[in-house]
Amino acid sequence: MGRLVIVSNRVPVPKRGETPAAGGLAVALKDAFSSRGGLWFGWSGTASPEPADLVRHARRGGVDYAVIDLSQEAYDGFYAGYANSALWPMFHFRLGLLSYDRGQARCYKLVNQRYAEKLLPLLRPDDTIWVHDYQMIPLGAELRARGSKHRIGYFHHIPFPPWAVFSAMPGGEELISNLLAYDLVGVQTQRDLTGLVDCMAQGTGMKVRPSGQQAGGEIRFRGRRTRLGSFPIAIATEEFAAVAEQSVASREVRRFVESLAGRSLVIGAERLDYTKGLPERLRGFGALLENFPEHRNNVTYLQIAARSREDVESYKDLKREIETLAGRINGDYSEADWTPVRYVGRTQPRDMLAGYYRRAQVGLVTPLRDGMNLVAKEYVAAQDPSNPGVLVLSRFAGAAEGMPEALLVNPLDAEGIGEALHAALVMPMEERRERHGAMYRRLCENSVTGWARSFLETLEGQETAEAPSSRAAALSMPQPRLMARSDSTSSASASAVSTGSQVAAISTAFARRPR
Ligand code: GDG
């Protein structure tokens, strides 16, 4: 079996002698890397005016890391620009926040081209490549355009909206056609899969067929089969539970619990991001205090919101809004000995976070949209099973699909959040145990290493990327549209043209079609 090559935007190279950071992809991939060896490729995290053109290599714990720097200009256009100011809001259904600029879109493509150029010489013929997330959508097509015949999969960590939303993106057809270069495209949930299938069908004009094993179906194009499937990401549940159990005994967590003076605790923790619904959540907590006065002076809400993407304008506005709302609630309801909202704007150590979760009667996780939301899963994992807290969860978090025992809310309904908080705070022990037990068992059944295995088995369980030519005849795309472009490029044979350029050819042809 060949190596596993991971490509992600940020590469978490551990320091010498350190084990990989807990949580995240490193844990998910540990088993796969140790059984077959691996390479992790991507951005170093360094942007400078004149970056070195070198690929820097490191070997840690049996894994090879290869990273490149970005120029400040590329960082601004690709990362802060197109990826986080156009793609991120669009994929989270926030078209009003979408800021599109052709120069930035070009920069996104150029950075992906550079990644492909730098990665290709590092590859062996039998490597399997797994590309992660929206910063890298065109990478597969760029690799194919340079002759890659590898198995290449793509996993999309954030929501996938239907075509009615996606098509608002200038160049949406080209973007979606890029996905045809992959052998497998994975999303988090069934809802995302519906969006992906809709975008594939309408954005490329091709037919998505039901597939034998994958619920989402497949598209066949020029001898390549692109499968579409849902692979809900998981966490290392037992490991997180153990950290939480240990952490509550620590001096820091005990001191924190003493500071609550016997009051109940509601906790929220995330990156400071407008998709996480923080202002709406604060309004929900305000509604609890307003409509259920019995909770005044009896409950404290701790919100940890680590700063993120501060160079993007919409994130600065959000910080101001949250500070104003938290200040208003505290001004309206505080007592000399009680501050209802505690707002911490810095990242907390992971073990302390786990201890806080375990001590919280309510986990309040109300994103407006979220691919999965690992905090919801971590909160459940961290609970004491004999006296567990209650999860209040947004219907629009991917996690809601697998956690029906949470109290599900619409994050835009402040009164609804207030009612759910009240229900959680007064819920009898037996009901809390039942709800928690069901969610905890499901979390244990679906490990994060199992998630990675399932994606890779689906990716590798299929025929070679370049299918036999007889299958090329089974193209599901209407032939006249296909031939319109390839006739004028090469008459040799359809299969002699690299798939990458075919993808580009299709997208150009489709971009011209009026919709
Ligand atoms: C993307 C998708 C999808 C939070 N505050 C602190 C801290 N955290 C940790 C949490 C959790 C992680 O950060 C956040 O993960 P999420 O899944 O909630 O959200 P995104 O960062 O937006 O991730 C998301 C995910 O990819 C995976 O596919 O679920 O939908 O948007 O682990 O615990 N960690 C520490 N201190 C903090 O203050 N140490």
Side-chain angles (χ1 to χ4, degrees), residues 22-326:
L25 273 185
V27 173
L29 300 167
K30 208 167 59 187
D31 285 2
F33 275 149
S34 68
S35 62
R36 59 200 286 182
L39 169 68
W40 197 327
F41 176 86
W43 179 38
S44 63
T46 303
S48 57
E50 288 187 22
D53 196 35
L54 292 173
V55 178
R56 281 183 282 128
H57 295 267
R59 188 168 170 81
R60 305 274 187 274
V63 178
D64 291 312
Y65 293 85
V67 294
I68 55 174
D69 297 340
L70 286 180
S71 70
Q72 189 61 45
E73 200 186 345
Y75 171 86
D76 292 342
F78 154 76
Y79 185 71
Y82 189 75
N84 286 335
S85 303
L87 290 179
W88 179 265
M90 184 277 286
F91 277 120
H92 286 88
F93 296 66
R94 300 294 294 274
L95 295 181
L97 294 177
L98 193 165
S99 155
Y100 176 82
D101 174 282
R102 273 194 187 186
Q104 291 179 345
R106 248 193 316 276
C107 194
Y108 174 75
K109 205 175 159 75
L110 285 173
V111 167
N112 273 278
Q113 282 169 357
R114 179 151 177 262
Y115 279 133
E117 277 156 18
K118 296 290 179 191
L119 174 59
L120 210 59
L122 308 179
L123 296 175
R124 300 176 191 159
D126 59 350
D127 284 343
T128 289
I129 306 171
W130 187 0
V131 177
H132 286 265
D133 230 359
Y134 62 100
Q135 298 94 348
M136 303 282 162
I137 291 172
L139 185 68
E142 295 298 343
L143 287 168
R144 299 284 185 222
R146 288 162 180 76
S148 163
K149 302 271 192 288
H150 299 89
R151 282 205 170 88
I152 316 182
Y154 168 78
F155 185 75
H156 189 79
H157 287 256
I158 62 176
F160 215 107
W163 184 242
V165 173
F166 198 114
S167 57
M169 185 71 152
E173 284 89 350
E174 180 174 351
L175 200 58
I176 203 77
S177 299
N178 281 157
L179 294 176
L180 294 172
Y182 294 104
D183 299 296
L184 175 64
V185 177
V187 289
Q188 301 267 24
T189 62
Q190 287 299 317
R191 182 167 51 202
D192 296 323
L193 193 52
T194 308
L196 171 64
V197 167
D198 184 50
C199 287
M200 282 300 231
Q202 297 204 58
T204 67
M206 294 169 70
K207 191 170 155 212
V208 180
R209 302 172 178 202
S211 140
Q213 294 157 33
Q214 288 298 120
E218 62 185 45
I219 290 190
R220 289 181 185 223
F221 175 62
R222 293 279 160 122
R224 179 177 314 288
R225 174 165 69 147
T226 300
R227 286 192 191 182
L228 315 174
S230 109
F231 301 86
I233 198 166
I235 61 165
T237 304
E238 280 105 339
E239 181 244 297
F240 198 82
V243 172
E245 194 177 351
Q246 268 183 12
S247 169
V248 283
S250 71
R251 201 162 56 91
E252 290 86 352
V253 176
R254 277 192 321 201
R255 212 175 53 195
F256 167 69
V257 171
E258 274 164 31
S259 78
L260 297 171
R263 295 184 185 90
S264 299
L265 174 66
V266 172
I267 193 164
E270 43 262 300
R271 281 184 306 104
L272 186 54
D273 193 296
Y274 53 80
T275 62
K276 303 291 182 184
L278 289 166
E280 294 77 5
R281 192 180 307 176
L282 278 159
R283 288 192 193 96
F285 184 70
L288 170 79
L289 299 181
E290 185 56 36
N291 300 334
F292 299 91
E294 63 269 37
H295 294 297
R296 293 183 197 164
N297 209 345
N298 283 323
V299 60
T300 296
Y301 167 28
L302 172 64
Q303 178 62 56
I304 296 162
R307 285 191 278 275
S308 143
R309 303 178 189 171
E310 291 181 280
D311 40 6
V312 179
E313 204 50 42
S314 44
Y315 287 74
K316 290 182 199 151
D317 299 344
L318 177 70
K319 187 164 171 286
R320 278 191 292 269
E321 190 182 359
I322 290 169
E323 285 165 0
T324 306
L325 275 166

Side-chain angles (χ1 to χ4, degrees), residues 358-361 379 383-390 429 432-433 436:
R358 192 171 173 99
R359 281 288 176 250
Q361 281 68 29
Y379 175 76
Q383 296 310 298
D384 174 355
S386 65
N387 183 17
V390 179
M429 171 85 88
R432 282 190 276 128
R433 281 189 187 153
H436 172 263

